[in-house]
């Protein structure tokens, strides 16, 4: 392409400081170095992790930064030695690949593998975010951050498979390995929770109980596969006791999809003694700690976490896109709003599930 090897000037939503709104700026995006790829971002989703970092609650958050990690785009150019990626190909950006730990550690520091950044604005370097930085019209990523997808797949939908949907879905199928005929409880009916419900249903769970303080979410939870819905505010007893009573001793699997340490404890204690397993998916605020009585664990319950739903991202995302294309996986149903890039801050405010904020 004509821009290959040149600095690209484009728009990006820059987070200059923690706790301050994103600012739409003109940024410079340098050409990719060896082992890197530059892409034109077609669409990005807004994940809770972006909001979490922007709020200042993330102890590893660094500023100024170009946030965003649920994105999809088209390869514009590649760095020296890159042969697997061709200009014009379609990719979903991914923040986790378990095979490349050293590179991931650098990405966690907001820089590329060589320790430098490719973004600058007003004479200042901008940090990258989770190796993706999809809140920009163009971005540069390491090779491990891309999963090639069918060129027919709508990028404004499959971008969401780069994080939230895949994480919740995989938590049920891979991390928990929900069994046919089991009973599950999902705490929090946002995007992660709906994806976890979807995974439990695909796994063959007989009973899936959705738990949320907002009854407006119950209908969509049932559309995704919840067989029961419970509002803790409707009960005088702690929610874990309510669920234990409902299920004759507790659920087989529970999923915490909120990021609240009190709910994490409730989710564990809602599990059946002897074999119940609880999966933590939500991200808690900095400095928070989980606790429970040791009795809950020594009587046979298991507490686990999940990263990207246990998927190997480069290998698995294309398969999930294929499932979506074959109508075996819900993705369109997660999109609550579609807005132009200039309104990305508004998209963050209206996010009730996942929001696809299309870049024009």
């Amino acid at each position: 392409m004509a821009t290959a090897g040149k600095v690209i000037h484009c728009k990006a939503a820059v987070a200059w400081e923690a706790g301050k709104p994103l600012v739409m700026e003109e940024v410079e995006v340098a050409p990719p170095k060896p082992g890197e790829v530059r892409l034109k971002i077609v669409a990005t989703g807004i994940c809770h992790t972006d909001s979490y970092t922007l709020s200042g609650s993330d102890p590893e958050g660094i500023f100024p930064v170009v946030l965003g990690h649920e994105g999809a785009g088209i390869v514009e150019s590649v760095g020296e030695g890159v042969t697997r990626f061709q200009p014009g190909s379609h990719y979903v950006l991914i923040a986790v690949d378990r095979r490349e730990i050293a590179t991931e550690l650098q990405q966690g520091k907001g820089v590329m593998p060589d320790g430098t950044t490719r973004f600058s604005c007003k004479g200042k370097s901008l940090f990258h975010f989770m190796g993706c930085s999809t809140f920009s019209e163009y971005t540069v990523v390491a090779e491990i951050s891309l999963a090639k997808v069918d060129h027919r797949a709508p990028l404004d939908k499959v971008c969401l498979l780069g994080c939230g949907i895949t994480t919740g879905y995989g938590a049920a199928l891979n991390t928990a390995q929900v069994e046919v005929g089991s009973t599950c409880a999902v705490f929090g009916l946002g995007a992660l929770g709906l994806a976890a419900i979807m995974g439990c249903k695909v796994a063959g769970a007989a009973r899936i109980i959705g738990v949320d303080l907002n009854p407006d979410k119950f209908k969509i939870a049932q559309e995704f596969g919840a067989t029961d819905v419970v509002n803790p505010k409707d009960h005088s007893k702690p929610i874990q006791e309510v669920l234990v009573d409902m299920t004759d001793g507790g659920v087989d699997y529970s999923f915490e999809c909120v990021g609240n340490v009190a709910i994490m404890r409730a989710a564990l204690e809602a599990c059946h003694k002897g074999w119940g397993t609880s999966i933590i998916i939500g991200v808690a605020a900095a400095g928070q700690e989980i606790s429970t009585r040791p009795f809950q664990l020594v009587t046979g319950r298991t507490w686990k976490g999940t990263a990207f739903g246990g998927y190997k991202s480069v290998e698995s995302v294309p398969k999930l896109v294929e499932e979506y294309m074959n109508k075996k996986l819900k993705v369109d149903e997660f999109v609550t709003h579609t807005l132009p890039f200039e309104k990305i801050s508004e998209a963050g405010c209206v996010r009730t599930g996942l929001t696809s904020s299309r870049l024009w």
Side-chain angles (χ1 to χ4, degrees):
M1 294 186 179
T3 50
K6 302 177 181 178
V7 172
I8 290 178
H9 295 257
C10 66
K11 290 183 291 186
V14 177
W16 288 105
E17 298 179 57
K20 298 291 181 65
L22 298 174
V23 180
M24 194 63 64
E25 303 275 16
E26 180 178 285
V27 302
E28 295 82 47
V29 184
K33 292 186 178 182
E36 300 174 359
V37 179
R38 186 162 65 183
L39 300 97
K40 177 178 176 59
I41 297 296
V42 174
T44 182
I46 296 179
C47 178
H48 176 266
T49 306
D50 301 309
S51 302
Y52 171 72
T53 299
L54 182 61
S55 72
S57 298
D58 183 355
E60 298 180 356
I62 49 178
F63 298 86
V65 63
V66 179
L67 297 170
H69 63 285
E70 282 185 342
I74 301 171
V75 172
E76 174 270 338
S77 62
V78 300
E80 182 181 349
V82 175
T83 59
R84 293 189 300 121
F85 305 92
Q86 303 299 322
S89 297
H90 293 199
Y91 288 85
V92 167
L93 286 80
I94 46 180
V96 179
D97 191 292
R98 298 182 297 183
R99 298 169 300 179
E100 302 285 353
I101 300 300
T103 300
E104 283 182 34
L105 291 175
Q106 285 293 87
Q107 291 181 162
K109 296 177 181 178
V111 293
M112 298 300 290
D114 70 349
T116 64
T117 79
R118 304 291 167 268
F119 290 109
S120 60
C121 180
K122 299 178 180 178
K124 297 181 179 179
S125 293
L126 306 177
F127 288 108
H128 296 250
F129 184 65
M130 296 178 71
C132 296
S133 291
T134 60
F135 290 0
S136 175
E137 292 180 312
Y138 285 85
T139 190
V140 177
V141 302
E143 289 185 84
I144 65 164
S145 296
L146 295 175
K148 188 174 183 178
V149 299
D150 190 323
H151 70 278
R152 299 169 299 173
L155 296 181
D156 62 322
K157 301 299 193 303
V158 298
C159 67
L160 302 180
L161 292 173
C163 185
I165 295 175
T166 303
T167 299
Y169 189 62
L173 294 176
N174 304 323
T175 309
Q177 297 184 353
V178 170
E179 298 176 320
V180 174
S182 58
T183 297
C184 305
V186 177
F187 291 74
L189 301 179
L192 284 174
L194 295 177
I197 288 173
M198 184 166 62
C200 292
K201 181 179 179 180
V202 168
R207 193 175 184 189
I208 306 170
I209 306 169
V211 182
D212 204 290
L213 295 172
N214 184 356
D216 292 340
K217 296 181 179 181
F218 290 166
K219 182 179 178 181
I220 191 169
Q222 291 169 323
E223 291 172 357
F224 271 78
T227 58
D228 304 78
V229 287
V230 179
N231 187 337
K233 293 190 293 186
D234 293 338
H235 301 271
S236 58
K237 294 191 297 186
I239 187 60
Q240 54 265 53
E241 294 182 20
V242 173
L243 293 174
V244 167
D245 291 344
M246 286 178 62
T247 56
D248 192 26
V251 300
D252 301 307
Y253 304 96
S254 69
F255 302 86
E256 197 281 341
C257 306
V258 179
N260 181 297
V261 294
I263 299 175
M264 292 175 188
R265 176 172 184 167
L268 174 73
E269 296 178 0
C271 288
H272 203 292
K273 66 174 60 176
W275 63 79
T277 298
S278 186
I279 311 298
I280 295 174
I281 309 176
V283 179
Q288 295 289 299
E289 297 181 354
I290 55 175
S291 65
T292 190
R293 292 181 299 126
F295 174 80
Q296 296 291 334
L297 298 174
V298 299
T299 49
R301 298 173 183 83
T302 300
W303 223 347
K304 301 177 73 174
T306 188
F308 201 57
Y311 282 110
K312 292 181 179 179
S313 43
V314 171
E315 300 170 8
S316 302
V317 169
K319 295 176 182 177
L320 291 171
V321 170
E322 185 178 342
E323 286 186 31
Y324 161 68
M325 296 291 285
N326 291 329
K327 302 188 184 302
K328 296 180 180 179
L329 178 68
K330 291 180 184 292
V331 175
D332 295 5
E333 293 82 355
F334 283 87
V335 179
T336 57
H337 300 75
T338 300
L339 298 173
F341 185 36
E342 291 78 4
K343 295 186 177 181
I344 193 167
S345 293
E346 294 179 33
C349 295
V350 301
R351 187 181 65 83
T352 56
L354 287 174
T355 300
S356 175
S357 182
R358 190 191 307 269
L359 306 187
W360 297 104

